């Protein structure tokens, strides 16, 4: 475990140059880092706390580095905190895209992100893709805790409600892909009112 909480670190490029094979927890909370090097070697990493100082922006290249780790088959990352990291829709899409096939990440916190309703809707689609029965069945069944942003207008509140419902099923069935997928199909595709709401939130005709 490496704990640099409140150390105001601004450069972590050394992580890309060295390798700590047994590193499971990296806490860089309250940092001012703007560039995250490749983390591909750190497949044993389980907890990455990367909460920045207010105004910190890690940028899309850093999100791609994190996404690359999440896409690895042997990725062990369970908890990822990117609060106050300036994650907008484009950066969020990098993270979201990496979670389509990820089966390790349980918690993702993007509080105080810069994502718009569009970006938040994309994460809802990750958890329950209402575009087709197959899409729902093959959605992400691993995440059980997701925080998107600190602004809660009517649409974002609705997005959070449906995302929470999907994550409750993920937790109940403990990531069992077949059982969770089937439960989501029954709960949403076969419920006309719920399906209509999800279609509206995900921009599906």
């Amino acid at each position: 475990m490496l704990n640099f909480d409140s150390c105001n670190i601004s450069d972590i490029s050394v992580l890309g140059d060295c390798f700590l094979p047994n590193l499971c927890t990296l806490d860089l909370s309250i940092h001012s880092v703007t560039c995250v090097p490749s983390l591909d070697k750190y497949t044993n990493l389980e907890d990455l706390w990367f909460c920045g100082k207010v105004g910190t922006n890690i940028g899309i290249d850093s999100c791609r580095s994190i996404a690359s780790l999440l896409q690895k088959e042997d990725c062990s990352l369970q908890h990822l905190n990117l609060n106050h990291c300036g994650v907008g829709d484009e950066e969020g899409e990098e993270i979201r895209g990496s979670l389509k096939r990820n089966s390790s990440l349980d918690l993702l916190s993007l509080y105080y992100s810069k994502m718009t309703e569009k970006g938040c809707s994309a994460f809802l689609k990750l958890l329950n893709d209402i575009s087709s029965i197959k899409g729902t069945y093959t959605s992400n069944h691993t995440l059980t805790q997701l925080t998107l942003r600190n602004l809660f207008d009517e649409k974002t509140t609705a997005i959070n409600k449906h995302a929470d419902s999907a994550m409750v099923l993920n937790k109940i069935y403990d990531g069992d892909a077949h059982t969770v997928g089937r439960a989501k199909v029954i709960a949403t595709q076969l419920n006309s009112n719920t399906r209509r709401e999800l279609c509206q939130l995900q921009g599906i005709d």
Side-chain angles (χ1 to χ4, degrees), residues 48-87:
L48 178 57
W49 300 99
F50 209 65
C51 179
K53 294 175 63 177
V54 176
T56 297
N57 189 339
I58 62 174
I60 191 166
D61 287 339
S62 295
C63 287
R64 284 175 179 152
S65 293
I66 296 170
S68 180
L69 173 62
L70 289 166
Q71 288 174 348
K72 288 192 162 297
E73 290 185 6
D74 54 348
C75 175
S76 302
L77 199 62
Q78 299 175 27
H79 306 124
L80 175 59
N81 183 318
L82 294 175
N83 295 345
H84 284 296
C85 283
V87 175

Side-chain angles (χ1 to χ4, degrees), residues 16-35:
D17 299 327
C18 65
F19 179 41
L20 304 171
N22 297 318
L23 182 63
C24 292
T25 300
L26 178 59
D27 189 341
L28 288 162
S29 299
I30 321 301
H31 68 82
S32 54
V33 174
T34 57
C35 182

Side-chain angles (χ1 to χ4, degrees), residues 15-170:
L15 287 176
D17 299 327
C18 65
F19 179 41
L20 304 171
N22 297 318
L23 182 63
C24 292
T25 300
L26 178 59
D27 189 341
L28 288 162
S29 299
I30 321 301
H31 68 82
S32 54
V33 174
T34 57
C35 182
V36 178
S38 172
L39 299 173
D40 286 357
K41 296 180 292 186
Y42 295 92
T43 52
N44 288 327
L45 193 64
E46 297 177 358
D47 303 283
L48 178 57
W49 300 99
F50 209 65
C51 179
K53 294 175 63 177
V54 176
T56 297
N57 189 339
I58 62 174
I60 191 166
D61 287 339
S62 295
C63 287
R64 284 175 179 152
S65 293
I66 296 170
S68 180
L69 173 62
L70 289 166
Q71 288 174 348
K72 288 192 162 297
E73 290 185 6
D74 54 348
C75 175
S76 302
L77 199 62
Q78 299 175 27
H79 306 124
L80 175 59
N81 183 318
L82 294 175
N83 295 345
H84 284 296
C85 283
V87 175
D89 289 348
E90 191 175 4
E91 293 84 2
E93 180 58 26
E94 293 292 332
I95 301 297
R96 186 191 73 86
S98 70
L99 295 176
K100 290 181 180 179
R101 298 291 178 265
N102 176 277
S103 59
S104 66
L105 197 69
D106 176 72
L107 177 151
L108 174 61
S109 186
L110 294 165
Y111 205 56
Y112 289 99
S113 74
K114 295 181 179 180
M115 285 192 298
T116 65
E117 290 177 353
K118 179 181 178 181
C120 294
S121 293
F123 273 95
L124 173 59
K125 187 174 182 179
L126 169 73
L127 289 162
N128 191 344
D129 183 353
I130 202 67
S131 63
S132 67
I133 291 177
K134 181 179 179 181
T136 299
Y137 183 77
T138 58
S139 297
N140 177 285
H141 303 321
T142 306
L143 276 174
T144 64
Q145 300 176 74
L146 173 65
T147 306
L148 293 173
R149 65 176 190 171
N150 59 309
L151 300 176
F152 298 103
D153 52 35
E154 183 177 352
K155 186 172 181 179
T156 304
T157 299
I159 289 170
N160 284 332
K161 180 188 76 172
H162 287 288
D164 287 345
S165 295
M167 288 187 289
V168 165
L169 293 176
N170 288 356

